[in-house]
Amino acid sequence: MVSLAPLGTRERPAPGVRTRMADEERLIARATAGDTAAFRQLYERHRTDVARLVYRMLAGRGDFEDVVQEVFVQVYKSLKDFRAQSKFSTWLHRVTVNVVLMHRRAARSRPAFHDDPPGEAFVRSDDIRPDEDAERRERVRAFARLLDRLADKKRIVFVLHELEGISPGEIAKIVGAPVLTVRTRLFYARREIESMLAEEPALAGLRLGFSKVASGEGET
Amino acid sequence: MSASLDKLVREAREELGTREAKGVNWDAVDRSLFARIERERRAERARFFAPRSGRVWASLAAGLAVATGVAVFAGKARELPSPPVVSTEESAGTLVSVDGKTGEPGATPDDRYAQVLINGRPAARGALLRLGDVVETRSAQATIERAGKLSLILDRGTRVSVTHVQGALVLALAQGAVEAQIVPIPRGEAFAVDVESARVAVHGTHVRVARSDERVVVDLNEGVVSLGEAPRVGSVLGALVTAPAHAEFAAADTLGTLTVTHDPSEVRVPVALGAAERARSAFVAAPPLAPPKTESARVGPALSGVARPEMHSTALAAATPNSALANPNAEVALANAVRACMAERPRAENVTVVVSTTLHLELADDGTVRTARFDPPVAPDVNGCAAQSIYKTRFAHGGSVALPIALTVPE
């Protein structure tokens, strides 16, 4: 399977990867010509990566499966416009980012249903001593809440770079902005998350435990 | 990046969304996705084959009708197969004229019409355009009219396809430019131009949409347009741009790349368009919106303007701002009127709608409203409804007003 995440940073693909890419090009050509079986293969190759990216960009909010579906509907409808001037993964990321943005904008213009980010209802009790996995999960949920508070543009570059491992140059192509702008957004995204880290009570508490675990103090 | 954030990021990289992505019920997603894709394929086939097959079926049906009549007349009626249902779809419009040089001395009108192709064949005067038709202009420009609804000109070197005809007319612009004068309608969108996934949708206005590769240029002389992603159904939820305006954006990212200037000198001079122009002038009693102060700004959804309503009847025009008395309680009255517009929106039962926005008004010295915008924006139909009250209101003072409006339904 051609992984979405590292493609952005690969300069010269290894021979095996080249074969897969050539195979993918053939699939794209067939899918563009209306071959549904080829489209299905493309979809099956990329759906998990797209789902993960959508989940991250939505910061765990909403019906992300619906958004994933919407991404592939858009891919199907727009495949004829894919010029192969950029990598398929870059184009797929761009489609995904646009669909997520449209979803969030549409959600904002709809009445609010108090769609809380994951873990909002998490109640921490002193009587319970969660195991390390549970703490780790809670940290990730708290982190998702922080991501959710970022402005769309900053969250997108942060997720693409820090979580998906895509280079700023590739992100620039995905979001249609200069590389410098991407780097600036990344800088401010990090800074905002750093400052929010202190404001987030759940995470502030976790930070303490985190430091203890990290330094071995938390171990018994 | 601090060590704490660094570790959080590392954990999130491993865990955030990974389990969820693996845990997706792919069977359900697959079924739904491929069912939608199949519908898309069918719709696409219908778009491109229905008009032609519709015409074939119409001929066949006519032939069958004649055959049936003959059979009955001869007393030999037999059970005939049910005639296929003949589509009664609306036409997209009629090709009314072609202007331009053919490049040959002594060229006739027929030569000019040869410069316009419909589905790859030279057009004829009066040709009807239907769903799925592809229209190309070479060295001539074509004028198309949709009786009582709109007139449009396709520039030289333009290629469009007709993608929707029921109610609103939607053209997909592959290259060139389309200029249109649309008779205002009370609700919804009358005309739209799609460029890739972007849509320029209009309710009633004079607009020109030009495409140069992936760049889209919109010149708006009257009214309001919505710019955004082409929706599968319903209205465009995007930036509302009010005239006069010159807007540019990349088709792949409408709102992210949109720039708008309201400087009238930047807006392309409109071409006088025929029937729709006449229909409009008979229909619209109110003068067009006075140009707002010159501004050049990058706008997004948060800067959508409220268009002066195009639907003033004569009675409404009698109550134009200039003739209205200044209302000392204009702010309260206006806020109530806007809330009423919001409250009138249909909503599902058991749903609480919470709206919070600010209406920014620029007032003339005589207290009349020159420009208005909601920040954050409100739904297009609320915009339209509110505009009816906003531009009728006259304040006791000039300057700027920011009117916070909050509403919870049910209270």
Side-chain angles (χ1 to χ4, degrees), chain A residues 122 124 128-141 206, chain B residues 15:
Chain A
F122 181 87
R124 192 178 173 84
I128 303 169
R129 290 188 62 81
D131 61 16
E132 202 176 318
D133 274 354
E135 270 200 34
R136 189 178 159 97
R137 278 200 296 276
E138 173 52 15
R139 279 198 295 274
V140 172
R141 278 200 292 265
L206 286 166
Chain B
E15 290 204 7

Side-chain angles (χ1 to χ4, degrees), chain B residues 94-320:
Chain B
T94 308
L95 179 65
V96 293
S97 67
V98 174
D99 302 302
K101 292 176 184 171
T102 62
E104 294 169 15
T108 64
D110 284 346
D111 296 327
R112 288 206 306 274
Y113 276 88
Q115 295 302 310
V116 179
L117 305 179
I118 300 177
N119 299 324
R121 292 180 177 177
R125 184 197 294 264
L128 275 184
L129 294 179
R130 295 185 183 280
L131 187 65
D133 283 350
V134 177
V135 188
E136 293 175 78
T137 56
R138 292 172 169 172
S139 59
Q141 62 178 30
T143 304
I144 294 163
E145 288 202 357
R146 207 178 194 202
K149 294 181 177 174
L150 59 86
S151 296
L152 58 91
I153 286 180
L154 305 182
D155 271 11
R156 291 170 181 81
T158 294
R159 190 167 77 244
V160 296
S161 50
V162 181
T163 57
H164 193 277
V165 293
Q166 297 291 344
L169 172 64
V170 182
L171 301 179
L173 178 62
Q175 65 181 55
V178 178
E179 182 155 356
Q181 175 75 50
I182 301 101
V183 177
I185 59 170
R187 290 184 79 84
E189 292 157 358
F191 177 62
V193 178
D194 286 352
V195 182
E196 305 296 347
S197 60
R199 173 165 291 184
V200 179
V202 299
H203 309 265
T205 186
H206 191 122
V207 67
R208 182 177 191 275
V209 183
R211 173 178 185 169
S212 172
D213 293 326
E214 301 308 306
R215 199 90 195 133
V216 184
V217 178
V218 179
D219 287 286
L220 181 63
N221 298 99
E222 297 168 17
V224 60
V225 294
S226 306
L227 305 175
E229 190 95 357
R232 286 194 304 285
V233 291
S235 300
V236 173
L237 279 174
L240 293 176
V241 176
T242 53
H246 173 90
E248 294 191 19
F249 58 89
D253 183 10
T254 311
L255 299 180
T257 58
L258 178 63
T259 56
V260 178
T261 172
H262 293 291
D263 181 350
S265 67
E266 295 285 317
V267 183
R268 193 184 165 100
V269 177
V271 174
L273 280 158
E277 186 85 46
R278 290 192 296 277
R280 191 194 157 278
S281 57
F283 193 64
V284 180
L289 179 63
K293 66 177 181 182
T294 300
E295 73 179 299
S296 180
R298 196 176 169 80
V299 300
L303 288 175
S304 67
V306 182
R308 183 180 287 275
E310 296 279 347
M311 290 300 299
H312 289 297
S313 65
T314 310
L316 190 58
T320 46

Side-chain angles (χ1 to χ4, degrees), chain A residues 43 56 76 136 162 194, chain B residues 2 13-15 30 41:
Chain A
Y43 157 73
R56 288 173 169 181
Y76 175 79
R136 189 178 159 97
E162 300 291 358
E194 293 263 16
Chain B
S2 73
R13 202 177 294 152
E14 287 169 17
E15 290 204 7
D30 291 2
R41 284 166 66 88

Side-chain angles (χ1 to χ4, degrees), chain A residues 44-115:
Chain A
E44 285 173 356
R45 278 186 184 196
H46 294 290
R47 64 186 184 185
T48 310
D49 293 325
V50 168
R52 189 189 60 237
L53 178 59
V54 167
Y55 189 89
R56 288 173 169 181
M57 287 197 295
L58 289 176
R61 271 176 178 271
D63 298 326
F64 88 104
E65 290 184 8
D66 289 348
V67 181
V68 173
Q69 190 190 117
E70 188 59 36
V71 168
F72 282 102
V73 170
Q74 289 305 322
V75 167
Y76 175 79
K77 286 161 79 172
S78 312
L79 207 50
K80 60 183 182 305
D81 302 322
F82 174 60
R83 301 270 179 268
Q85 287 163 346
S86 61
K87 285 180 286 191
F88 180 67
S89 62
T90 305
W91 182 80
L92 183 56
H93 276 120
R94 190 158 55 224
V95 173
T96 307
V97 165
N98 286 338
V99 170
V100 169
L101 282 177
M102 288 309 294
H103 176 79
R104 287 183 71 98
R105 282 174 189 147
R108 274 200 292 268
S109 68
R110 284 196 292 266
F113 295 104
H114 302 289
D115 184 15

